[in-house]
Amino acid sequence: MRVLVENYGDARIFYDRIFGYKRYHVEYKDGSVSTYSSLWYSEKDIKRMVLEKIENKENYVNKI
């Protein structure tokens, strides 16, 4: 079962717990999905990466 951690509109962050540790799943509005392990990334790191990716995408679209 996935638990919603954060919803940014363009991206949603979920986690599930497998074998005792969390895996984070990021689903983007365009349909792509990224998976991160809590062994290497904290929730704070994942939120920061997602926000940076969303902001860079918006800046790129606005420049065109």
Side-chain angles (χ1 to χ4, degrees), residues 4-24:
L4 180 65
V5 175
E6 199 73 44
N7 183 359
Y8 294 114
D10 288 339
R12 296 183 302 173
I13 303 172
F14 297 92
Y15 79 85
D16 63 2
R17 198 175 279 276
I18 183 167
F19 303 118
Y21 65 92
K22 288 183 180 179
R23 284 189 310 185
Y24 293 97

Side-chain angles (χ1 to χ4, degrees), residues 26-61:
V26 182
E27 295 180 357
Y28 294 97
K29 194 173 186 177
D30 64 359
S32 62
V33 177
S34 299
T35 303
Y36 302 95
S37 171
S38 66
L39 296 174
W40 292 283
Y41 299 99
S42 69
E43 186 174 314
K44 183 178 175 181
D45 293 335
I46 294 167
K47 287 180 180 181
R48 181 183 45 80
M49 289 187 296
V50 169
L51 286 173
E52 286 176 0
K53 185 171 182 176
I54 291 171
E55 288 174 2
N56 287 338
K57 179 183 171 188
E58 289 175 357
N59 289 337
Y60 178 74
V61 171

